[in-house]
Amino acid sequence: MPPLPIDHDHRHATKGDRGAGDRPARSESAVTQGSVSPVFPTVREVLALVPVRHGAPRLVAGDAGLDRPVRWVHVAEVPDIATLLGGGELVLTTGIGLPADDAGLRAFIGDLADVGVSGLVVELGRRYVSGVPRVMAAAAERRGLPLVELRRATPFVRITEAVHALIVDAQLTELRATEEIHQRFTELSVEGAEPAEVVRQAAELAGCPVVLENLSRQVLAYDPAGESAELLLDGWEQHSRRIRPAGRTAYDPDSGWLVTTVGARGQDWGRLLLRWPAVAELTTRGPAPTQGEAHPDPVETAAAADRTDGNPADGGPSPHRSPGTGATPPTRLTILIERAASTLALGRLIRRDAEGLERQIHRTLLTALIDHSRPVDEVALRAKALGVTLDRRHLVGVVVRHRADDPAESGGPGPDAGPEAGPARLRDLAEAVGQALREAKLTALTSAVDDQAVGALLALPDPAAEEKALAAFAAALRRVRLDADPARPPAPRSARPADPAARTVAVGAVRAADPASRPRPAGPAVIVAAGSGVGSLREARRSLVEARQIAEAARRDRRDLPYFRLPHVGLAGLLHLLRDEPRLQTFVERELGGLLAYDAQHPREQLLGTLRAYLEQGRNKSAAAAAAHLSRPAFYERLARIGRILDVDLDSVDQCLSLHVALLALDAVRTP
């Protein structure tokens, strides 16, 4: 290949020059700059150093290896030096001890390439005058080993001093960056930061896009690090299924994503992914031209062209792919993503409370029943001290929640109401529930159970009073919430409207006397859900958990019922309320993961739709083929392929039932 000139700057290097000229892009902390670079410099960066430029370097062969890291610089004048090297060295030589025959030169280059050296630099003038032998250049090009000529005599000590100083400086930068990572995420853990904030901080520290997903490859939080969010998340599920790192924390070089599993106490619930290097890094990496250069460095230009791999429409790399250089992320990135994952896992375990003492005790006791964190006898004793007798009572778990998580969607404060709108709305709901219990003359433990719902454990004298008590509570809650609305004057209780635009619309509100004057309600703004009644405090957890699940599932049900019970939500509702459960997501992946991965690789076929049509048509192949708009032979062939991919018998009722439930669960997971 024809030689490529690197630079014609003949300035001499001194110790005073080395600070500015020898450390391009490494003079400050990589973390504070929002970017992370490897510890070791690349061959390209070494060739940009002032002492090397003083030697008028010229790249003769191996431009594909310019991005190899340089672990050390070694000076050698003997042909069998390869046995003394460990890989990653940049070898400097004058060539006086190299073999004189072509076979010996080929063997010398082959030995260096086999041991994994980063490159070979030959100073001309002592052994080779006009240039290195062609056979030497051809062997280096064939092995992808960068071979550089120094056309002017250069003290090797200045080169080794500059490179080693660069490496030490980068290692100190690595240590400072690692310390900052630990400090930053420790603060986030103590503050109980939300997942979105943890992801944002990780992206800021890394300077790379970061995505948090659940086990079903649904994005929970992300930060594009200044890039296009639309491009980053376009077709995310299919792209994510192609990312298969080997290990709990590992780098997938095919996709360019560093991945770690997120979870605590043996329960994994998601993955945190960081794309390295970022797209912007691919287009800006490398030293800038020195003063006086009128054109970009040809070597840098050629290597940048080699690294471009992606969208031909914009000339840049694909937002989902790595540059394919074979490099691995620096250690600090692995530390960063693991610390971020630990912070996310810890944050999921933390629940903060700012309620009054009595309400805190109510919440403590309800939480103890749900989490089994306290003995049942202790809960009963403390509840009795609060005036709530739970022994020898019929217990019913009740959960009341807003249908919409966003206050603006349920007629509450708009987006400009500030961060306190959500907690204030929850406090209003908790007070309304407490007042409704008092009006209905019911005894119960009551408190907020999460950021959107208020729970109550009703203590009834006998099972026969269950339905009557629930109806009385729902009616009382409706009255309390309507009476609390200052924007509407009181109306007769038999004719109070259910206006969905008002924040205080309750379950079971009666339509207005003039229905034509108001739009038809899309559904009640508040949901009341009740679990199955139980006869002992030890079973109360089942009723409370069931009520919370029913309340979550009923959000999709627009019927105006006084209260919801388990029969009202059905299988689809049950799966919807369990959509965040890692075990359900694991079940979906176990049943349909192979088919989803196949569809990700073959987007034009979409066999999942074929399976859905087959199951929804009651396994009637003719009807399913018509519903899928396929000929019967084509439809039968697709079914056979699905059976092979999933290793199932589609004529088996039991296996088809399992697949149908998995499909319903997949729909629930994908539905916000």
Side-chain angles (χ1 to χ4, degrees):
M1 63 173 289
L4 296 175
I6 292 181
D7 188 55
H8 298 283
D9 187 353
H10 300 161
R11 292 173 295 178
H12 291 268
T14 65
K15 289 186 178 180
D17 296 329
R18 196 173 61 238
D22 296 358
R23 296 185 180 94
R26 292 182 189 272
S27 59
E28 297 182 13
S29 169
V31 168
T32 58
Q33 294 178 354
S35 62
V36 178
S37 57
V39 173
F40 300 112
T42 64
V43 177
R44 184 190 312 280
E45 292 172 329
V46 171
L47 296 181
L49 297 177
V50 172
V52 181
R53 287 178 176 270
H54 173 71
R58 175 162 49 189
L59 179 67
V60 178
D63 61 328
L66 286 174
D67 287 319
R68 291 180 178 178
V70 177
R71 186 179 58 84
W72 207 245
V73 178
H74 195 87
V75 180
E77 299 294 353
V78 293
D80 57 348
I81 187 61
T83 59
L84 305 178
L85 302 177
E89 297 89 354
L90 181 67
V91 178
L92 308 180
T93 183
T94 62
I96 58 176
L98 297 186
D101 59 306
D102 291 351
L105 288 176
R106 292 191 190 96
F108 174 70
I109 295 296
D111 290 342
L112 292 181
D114 290 339
V115 80
V117 299
S118 299
L120 175 64
V121 178
V122 180
E123 183 187 77
L124 303 181
R126 302 196 180 190
R127 173 68 182 276
Y128 308 116
V129 179
S130 60
V132 298
R134 292 184 177 181
V135 64
M136 190 176 184
E141 180 67 22
R142 185 166 53 253
R143 298 300 301 269
L145 178 68
L147 176 60
V148 178
E149 298 174 342
L150 294 181
R151 293 168 288 170
R152 181 178 291 106
T154 303
F156 284 171
V157 65
R158 293 186 178 178
I159 297 177
T160 58
E161 182 184 37
V163 176
H164 295 167
L166 191 64
I167 292 173
V168 171
D169 181 66
Q171 289 174 333
L172 291 176
T173 299
E174 184 86 355
L175 291 175
R176 288 194 296 267
T178 301
E179 181 181 359
E180 182 174 348
I181 289 169
H182 284 293
Q183 181 178 356
R184 185 82 64 92
F185 286 106
T186 298
E187 293 174 355
L188 291 174
S189 297
V190 172
E191 294 171 358
E194 295 293 328
E197 176 62 16
V198 176
V199 170
R200 188 191 70 79
Q201 294 275 10
E204 178 182 331
L205 288 172
C208 304
V210 178
V211 177
L212 173 64
E213 65 177 14
N214 61 18
L215 297 180
S216 291
R217 309 300 195 268
Q218 304 299 304
V219 176
L220 303 177
Y222 70 93
D223 191 298
E227 299 180 18
S228 170
E230 291 76 9
L231 290 178
L232 178 68
L233 301 180
D234 183 36
W236 175 259
E237 181 179 347
Q238 291 184 347
H239 170 66
S240 175
R241 293 184 184 280
R242 301 190 191 103
I243 304 174
R244 299 179 178 179
R248 189 171 181 86
T249 300
Y251 178 65
D252 181 12
D254 293 335
S255 62
W257 285 89
L258 178 63
V259 186
T260 189
T261 303
V262 183
R265 296 179 179 177
Q267 294 291 327
D268 296 334
W269 52 267
R271 297 198 307 175
L272 189 64
L273 303 94
L274 183 151
R275 194 182 73 230
W276 180 87
V279 173
E281 194 176 353
L282 298 180
T283 59
T284 60
R285 184 179 176 185
T290 59
Q291 184 176 5
E293 289 182 333
H295 55 81
D297 193 329
V299 172
E300 173 64 24
T301 303
D306 291 339
R307 286 198 306 268
T308 301
D309 176 22
N311 189 351
D314 56 18
S318 165
H320 287 322
R321 295 195 59 80
S322 76
T325 61
T328 57
T331 303
R332 84 185 77 167
L333 271 188
T334 301
I335 296 174
L336 185 150
I337 195 173
E338 289 183 341
R339 282 305 312 269
S342 300
T343 302
L344 289 166
L346 180 61
R348 189 167 173 132
L349 301 177
I350 296 175
R351 293 295 181 266
R352 305 177 69 180
D353 191 8
E355 300 171 333
L357 180 58
E358 182 178 352
R359 189 167 295 177
Q360 284 186 26
I361 297 175
H362 275 250
R363 181 167 188 171
T364 298
L365 297 180
L366 279 178
T367 303
L369 290 175
I370 295 174
D371 298 340
H372 292 306
S373 57
R374 295 176 183 271
V376 172
D377 294 341
E378 179 183 344
V379 172
L381 182 61
R382 296 188 63 181
K384 188 174 183 179
L386 290 173
V388 180
T389 302
L390 300 177
D391 287 332
R392 293 185 294 276
R393 293 292 190 273
H394 183 74
L395 306 175
V396 181
V398 175
V399 168
V400 181
R401 65 156 296 145
H402 291 277
R403 184 178 297 276
D405 290 344
D406 185 357
E409 296 178 11
S410 59
D416 298 331
E420 296 299 324
R425 186 176 69 144
L426 184 63
R427 286 195 298 270
D428 290 343
L429 182 61
E431 292 174 1
V433 169
Q435 186 175 345
L437 289 171
R438 290 190 293 271
E439 285 196 11
K441 296 180 173 54
L442 296 173
T443 301
L445 284 176
T446 178
S447 172
V449 292
D450 57 39
D451 293 337
Q452 302 294 338
V454 176
L457 181 62
L458 304 184
L460 306 177
D462 57 81
E466 180 175 318
E467 295 296 331
K468 182 179 179 181
L470 290 173
F473 169 71
L477 180 63
R478 179 181 68 238
R479 292 193 299 270
V480 168
R481 288 180 55 78
L482 288 175
D483 289 341
D485 185 4
R488 188 188 311 120
R493 292 180 178 176
S494 61
R496 288 187 175 163
D499 184 359
R503 178 173 61 89
T504 57
V505 173
V507 172
V510 182
R511 294 181 181 175
D514 183 9
S517 65
R518 297 182 182 272
R520 288 183 59 86
V526 171
I527 296 168
V528 178
S532 303
V534 296
S536 70
L537 190 57
R538 298 185 184 278
E539 298 175 286
R541 178 183 183 275
R542 173 168 59 85
S543 185
L544 287 167
V545 171
E546 182 178 301
R548 185 159 61 178
Q549 293 173 342
I550 293 170
E552 182 69 22
R555 295 173 63 191
R556 306 177 66 189
D557 193 320
R558 295 299 173 181
R559 289 177 292 176
D560 189 3
L561 300 179
Y563 52 90
F564 286 84
R565 306 298 294 267
L566 192 57
H568 296 139
V569 295
L571 177 60
L574 181 63
L575 294 174
H576 176 78
L577 60 90
L578 296 174
R579 67 190 185 280
D580 293 327
E581 172 60 43
R583 286 173 292 185
L584 180 67
Q585 297 172 6
T586 301
F587 168 75
V588 173
E589 291 299 307
R590 184 174 64 248
E591 294 293 317
L592 300 175
L595 194 61
L596 293 170
Y598 181 90
D599 281 353
Q601 297 289 341
H602 307 83
R604 292 187 178 181
E605 295 190 32
Q606 294 302 309
L607 295 181
L608 187 70
T610 302
L611 178 62
R612 186 186 301 277
Y614 175 66
L615 296 175
E616 288 180 350
Q617 295 297 324
R619 299 190 301 121
N620 185 320
K621 296 181 180 179
S622 299
H629 304 290
L630 293 172
S631 66
R632 291 170 65 179
F635 188 80
Y636 294 166
E637 192 278 333
R638 287 195 175 191
L639 286 182
R641 196 179 317 158
I642 292 171
R644 291 192 299 270
I645 293 172
L646 297 180
D647 191 22
V648 296
D649 179 10
L650 292 180
D651 291 327
S652 169
V653 175
D654 290 340
Q655 293 187 21
C656 285
L657 175 61
S658 182
L659 291 175
H660 203 173
V661 172
L663 273 175
L664 293 175
L666 178 64
D667 293 340
V669 168
R670 288 177 169 175
T671 302

